[in-house]
Amino acid sequence: RVIFNENPITFIGLSAVASSLTYARITHIDFANCAIDDDGARKLAGNLGQNTFVRMIDLSANGLTADGIWVLAERALSVNRTLEVLKLTDNDIRDAGARALAKVLKTNDVLQELHLGGNSIRDDGAKALAEAALARKGRLELFLHGNLYSATAKGALSDASRRATMFYFFD
């Protein structure tokens, strides 16, 4: 377990931790509120994709945008087959970040919990997540409290939750 929660980490420090991910037997990483930006997410993504031990990573409240999330999704989530919980609450990923995650969720059946509350996700992003949930085979709990989508998008998520066998949606 690596816990940096609420302790800002420099890019050099983050680089050292990220480099160790390729061989360390770390299962939980808590970088919540550590001032990790999109460049930090890029650094983590490359090494996280090669890791076979990490089960949970918390990158909440870091100001990550769709750019950092896109790289994290493409380089890490598309190839990592051990990560079960990803916490991205209170960042700024918006619809573009939600779409990047949705694309990967269609093929990554290992991820079981995705926390996206407080990310300014609107209808487009919420609907993309609902569509991804329907395409999945694995279990998924999706936490979306505090976003900006409409009742129509909430209906799409609720419908996906009823139709998908292992999808649970929490507003």
Side-chain angles (χ1 to χ4, degrees):
R1 238 175 241 265
V2 175
I3 301 172
F4 288 93
N5 192 316
E6 297 186 19
N7 290 300
I9 186 169
T10 65
F11 188 77
I12 293 170
L14 182 62
S15 296
V17 172
S19 295
S20 72
L21 287 177
T22 54
Y23 58 86
R25 291 180 176 257
I26 300 168
T27 60
H28 292 72
I29 302 171
D30 185 347
F31 281 129
N33 201 18
C34 289
I36 295 172
D37 59 10
D38 290 338
D39 289 334
R42 285 183 193 90
K43 185 64 181 168
L44 277 173
N47 296 90
L48 188 60
Q50 300 169 21
N51 182 282
T52 58
F53 297 102
V54 174
R55 303 281 184 260
M56 189 282 295
I57 188 162
D58 189 346
L59 292 168
S60 297
N62 278 297
L64 297 174
T65 69
D67 292 338
I69 297 305
W70 184 87
V71 173
L72 190 65
E74 289 293 316
R75 290 192 194 160
L77 296 177
S78 62
V79 294
N80 183 292
R81 293 295 177 232
T82 58
L83 188 66
E84 298 170 348
V85 179
L86 178 59
K87 297 181 179 183
L88 297 169
T89 304
D90 295 328
N91 281 293
D92 192 30
I93 71 167
R94 301 179 182 260
D95 285 343
R99 285 192 305 271
L101 290 167
K103 179 182 173 188
V104 172
L105 284 174
K106 291 177 182 178
T107 58
N108 179 329
D109 290 329
V110 177
L111 191 69
Q112 296 176 14
E113 283 184 35
L114 181 56
H115 298 254
L116 297 175
N119 272 291
S120 300
I121 296 170
R122 295 183 179 272
D123 286 16
D124 189 37
K127 289 176 182 175
L129 291 165
E131 290 170 13
L134 288 171
R136 286 176 56 92
K137 294 181 181 125
R139 175 181 157 258
L140 177 65
E141 293 180 13
L142 183 59
F143 298 87
L144 287 170
H145 61 279
N147 280 294
L148 305 171
Y149 50 82
S150 69
T152 303
K154 184 175 181 176
L157 286 160
S158 295
D159 182 55
S161 184
R162 281 190 300 276
R163 292 175 42 207
T165 55
M166 301 291 284
F167 172 57
Y168 307 95
F169 153 62
F170 303 96
D171 183 40

